Amino acid sequence: QVQLVESGGGLVQAGGSLRLSCVASGSIFSTNFMGWYRQAPGNQRELVASIIRGGGTSSYADSAKGRFTISRDKNTVYLQMNSLRPEDTAVYYCNAGLTPKGPYWGQGTQVTVSS
């Protein structure tokens, strides 16, 4: 089992920045892939960015490219979000597993961007 604990969400004005953190504990060998997903009210949960153990390879949703940066340091994954927009408002979830969109999820952290 893997436990994921997120932090760093909050309220920010459009154009501002936030940094999300997610710390993994437990069966760390099961966290080859770690990533961030988000879900806005009425929408499906969608991938924002993901990264492979060692931090060598990452991928981004089109909406995140050029504004968000995912990074990883051992068992912690970060999401630096710049130039935030109101449409980025959502609950952001940390995810981990041996493959992309693995079985382990954090509890979610709310990000609200005001216009």
Side-chain angles (χ1 to χ4, degrees), residues 1-14:
Q1 289 293 322
V2 175
Q3 295 77 44
L4 303 172
V5 178
E6 303 119 329
S7 60
L11 173 64
V12 65
Q13 289 188 334

Side-chain angles (χ1 to χ4, degrees), residues 17-96:
S17 299
L18 283 174
R19 189 192 196 205
L20 306 183
S21 300
C22 172
V23 180
S25 61
S27 301
I28 304 303
F29 63 87
S30 295
T31 61
N32 282 358
F33 286 83
M34 294 189 74
W36 291 94
Y37 288 72
R38 69 185 182 187
Q39 187 168 19
N43 291 356
Q44 291 186 340
R45 194 171 295 188
E46 61 179 8
L47 173 69
V48 177
S50 65
I51 192 165
I52 294 175
R53 179 186 295 277
T57 302
S58 58
S59 62
Y60 296 88
D62 288 343
S63 60
K65 290 177 181 176
R67 300 188 300 126
F68 295 1
T69 302
I70 191 169
S71 59
R72 181 170 180 174
D73 180 14
K74 295 182 181 178
N75 302 330
T76 302
V77 65
Y78 305 94
L79 186 68
Q80 177 67 44
M81 303 187 294
N82 299 327
S83 302
L84 282 161
R85 305 165 179 165
E87 53 264 40
D88 294 317
T89 295
V91 178
Y92 284 69
Y93 295 91
C94 182
N95 175 263

